[in-house]
Amino acid sequence: MIGAHGHGGLVLRGLKDAPQVELTAISAGRADHLEKLAGQCRALAGQFFSPSKYDDWRKMLDLAVPDIVCVDGPLEQHAAMCAEAFRRNIHVLVEKPAALRLDELRMLEETHRASRSHLTALMNLRYHPAFYAAWQLVQSGALGAVRAVNAQKSYILGQRPDFFKQRATFGGTIPWVGSHAIDWVRWYSGADFERVAAFHSRIANRGHGDLESTAVCNFRLRDGILAAVTIDYLRPASAGSHGDDRVRVIGTDGYVEVRDGQAWAADAGHDGLYPVAPAPAGSLLADFVAQIEGRGACRISAADVWRVTEACLLARQSADDGRLLEFT
Amino acid sequence: MIGAHGHGGLVLRGLKDAPQVELTAISAGRADHLEKLAGQCRALAGQFFSPSKYDDWRKMLDLAVPDIVCVDGPLEQHAAMCAEAFRRNIHVLVEKPAALRLDELRMLEETHRASRSHLTALMNLRYHPAFYAAWQLVQSGALGAVRAVNAQKSYILGQRPDFFKQRATFGGTIPWVGSHAIDWVRWYSGADFERVAAFHSRIANRGHGDLESTAVCNFRLRDGILAAVTIDYLRPASAGSHGDDRVRVIGTDGYVEVRDGQAWAADAGHDGLYPVAPAPAGSLLADFVAQIEGRGACRISAADVWRVTEACLLARQSADDGRLLEFT
């Protein structure tokens, strides 16, 4: 494990689902994060493992020689950390976004192409029972061909640590918060991105510097499939939950939506809106191990990681520059 | 009354709310619509009025000399019908959109500027109890300053008359269906449009020619207020209702949304999401008469009609051309 910046705790909690995996070593890109991570390990995995602590994550990769590393360092170090793992053919679970700049992303893809590393990202919402049930319904063909995906991410801002306040260390609200929704667009549609037009604004960000409080991103995908992603950090503290994640997938023969953690659908086989039974959650870590061992596939492929990261960064650029952008 | 193409029936049904108004004459832009309108009059207003029938709507304007005309002819005749009314200083209730092309819209605005006609449009959703209650909540200041508006229009397509199948007679899904949602953006935000980026697609329109089955429109408004509008004609016939209209208005201190005809909000004054009591529906026709008589104001001003029509036509052009467009 490197770092405790984002959702690395998901991997720690997932260790119980992957009995082949032993947590052998931890390090971080920041000294205080090593202590935080050590504390998380004691709380969550300490009953089984006593990982070695390394002050230098590169040294850890060299000396502990892990099969898999979870990259959850400061966001601006993700690309360098992944690249070093790829050069050592270590498999990587990376917290999103994998890179904060397009040039970093190109470098990273190239490094990965030359390695034998498997790669996935902590897109944990693909493992959410309602979102996965919605995906299975789409796959069943009951909704026909997907023609549009509308997604919403709305979070409480509160008071955030300083790294949120600068573009160089946060990357922007579209990559950080929007990446989940942009991942849904690709996942549910099964289509590749062609064009993006986005706007964002920093107004009303409660003293959070560069952080964008609102964003809207439109995508055109292959075959004229359309997507709209809306993002905000303006959810009131009184709302009763941290986030308000929603997606609506519109097919030629019906639609499915997820809100409040429950999937609902309408199609020719039912009268009116009906609830979709939640799917078993599954385990990202167990699936990733199965993929490495040639026994299956993780729900988030390396191609997904590259394309969704690119879509986030192009959307951010579109919003920064006030231009419609084409994917290459 | 001219025509029975769209929602003119709202005016007929509204006559009961405006006792000063007498329905004196009817005509249409199409012979079969005159018969349809005459039938509607018999059914809805016949107990009170026996309007004269005119084969030629221009002749009706000259001979019946009405104070107010409702323009609900074929969409491509709206601009000409409104302009003739303006030239005679007749007040106009127009079915949206007021014009199908930007050059027509400019001509119409100019003609209106030189006339004494009051103008409003059949944006009946501003008179819906839940949507109006949401607007009142925004006006109360409980949600702070509006920073984003997300709106959805989703309709069952079914089999439509031929005029839906050609751009020249239908105008496109963004102006026809999206106009309501684009009107909400202006109404709830109270802000003027600055930029638009939109996509639309005709795929899966079930043999409806030019009709777009899906669309997404992003707007940037004054002060970086953002809006996302999604539109589709893919609602399954089994869904249980014709349309699925939704809006979500996000302020600095809370948000309100309308779905399934009910408004819900979250703000500092309440714990969790709470239902917003419906407002009295009000009457567009009665408000319009009050405005003409100097006793009040209609919820949809002439400035709203011009700017929302322009926003629809620019969004359509953005989607046609694949370009981000600026408002002048």
Side-chain angles (χ1 to χ4, degrees), chain A residues 147 150 152 154 195 197 201 203 206 216 218 223-224 230 232 235 238 246 248 252 255 257 267 270 272 322, chain B residues 147 150 152 154 195 197 201 203 206 218 223-224 228 230 232 235 238 246 248 252 255 257 267 270 272 322:
Chain A
R147 297 303 313 155
N150 303 332
Q152 170 186 302
S154 175
R195 289 179 175 189
S201 165
I203 296 180
R206 299 172 186 237
V216 293
N218 280 349
D223 295 333
T230 65
D232 72 84
R235 186 165 169 77
S238 64
R246 304 189 200 178
R248 186 159 164 273
T252 50
Y255 74 94
E257 65 178 300
D267 56 41
H270 299 77
Chain B
R147 297 303 314 154
N150 304 332
Q152 171 185 302
S154 175
R195 289 178 174 189
S201 165
I203 295 178
R206 300 173 185 234
N218 280 348
D223 295 334
T230 66
D232 73 83
R235 185 165 171 77
S238 65
R246 302 188 202 179
R248 187 161 162 272
T252 50
Y255 73 93
E257 65 179 301
D267 56 41
H270 299 77

Side-chain angles (χ1 to χ4, degrees), chain A residues 92-309:
Chain A
V92 174
L93 284 143
V94 65
E95 165 66 323
K96 47 80 196 166
L100 293 191
R101 298 198 319 262
L102 280 167
D103 59 335
E104 281 177 353
L105 180 65
R106 301 296 176 217
M107 172 280 291
L108 205 52
E109 285 191 63
E110 211 167 293
T111 313
H112 182 252
R113 221 172 289 130
S115 93
R116 294 190 302 278
S117 298
H118 286 264
L119 168 68
T120 193
L122 295 180
M123 283 295 176
N124 53 302
L125 287 167
R126 288 203 189 192
Y127 282 82
H128 184 289
F131 287 97
Y132 191 55
W135 184 82
Q136 288 180 313
L137 182 64
V138 171
Q139 294 298 303
S140 78
L143 311 182
V146 172
R147 297 303 313 155
V149 180
N150 303 332
Q152 170 186 302
K153 296 287 294 182
S154 175
Y155 281 164
I156 295 172
L157 181 58
Q159 280 305 318
R160 301 269 168 160
D162 279 348
F163 84 86
F164 277 89
K165 298 173 186 171
Q166 291 186 27
R167 172 64 69 89
T169 53
F170 174 54
T173 296
I174 291 176
W176 175 250
V177 178
S179 50
H180 292 289
I182 293 170
D183 181 56
W184 291 333
V185 169
R186 179 176 167 88
W187 190 39
Y188 287 110
S189 71
D192 208 10
F193 298 100
E194 288 183 352
R195 289 179 175 189
V196 60
F199 299 123
H200 57 192
S201 165
R202 289 168 177 161
I203 296 180
N205 72 2
R206 299 172 186 237
H208 283 77
D210 295 345
L211 177 141
E212 296 87 2
S213 47
T214 52
V216 293
C217 311
N218 280 349
F219 296 93
R220 202 191 67 187
L221 296 99
R222 174 184 48 73
D223 295 333
I225 297 169
L226 305 183
V229 168
T230 65
I231 309 162
D232 72 84
Y233 259 128
L234 296 176
R235 186 165 169 77
S238 64
S241 62
H242 174 60
D244 186 2
D245 289 348
R246 304 189 200 178
V247 73
R248 186 159 164 273
V249 184
I250 303 154
T252 50
D253 300 329
Y255 74 94
V256 62
E257 65 178 300
V258 181
R259 50 183 157 89
D260 301 322
Q262 169 68 46
W264 297 87
D267 56 41
H270 299 77
D271 245 8
L273 205 66
Y274 67 93
V276 182
S283 161
L284 192 156
L285 183 60
D287 279 2
F288 190 51
V289 170
Q291 177 178 315
I292 293 166
E293 294 182 344
R295 294 181 290 104
C298 191
R299 287 180 203 163
I300 306 109
S301 71
D304 292 334
V305 177
W306 303 136
R307 204 58 168 166
V308 171
T309 307

Side-chain angles (χ1 to χ4, degrees), chain A residues 36-110:
Chain A
K36 181 179 167 191
L37 178 57
Q40 289 179 350
C41 289
R42 275 191 300 275
L44 279 163
Q47 57 272 52
F48 306 115
F49 310 113
S50 299
S52 316
K53 281 204 282 186
Y54 289 83
D55 289 331
D56 180 331
W57 57 267
R58 282 183 183 81
K59 211 169 273 176
M60 180 187 78
L61 294 180
D62 285 332
L63 300 179
V65 198
D67 296 307
I68 305 175
V69 67
C70 170
V71 169
D72 186 22
L75 304 184
E76 72 278 15
Q77 298 185 41
H78 279 185
M81 289 169 169
C82 290
E84 291 291 343
F86 294 158
R87 288 190 191 105
R88 290 162 177 83
N89 295 306
I90 297 167
H91 309 300
V92 174
L93 284 143
V94 65
E95 165 66 323
K96 47 80 196 166
L100 293 191
R101 298 198 319 262
L102 280 167
D103 59 335
E104 281 177 353
L105 180 65
R106 301 296 176 217
M107 172 280 291
L108 205 52
E109 285 191 63
E110 211 167 293

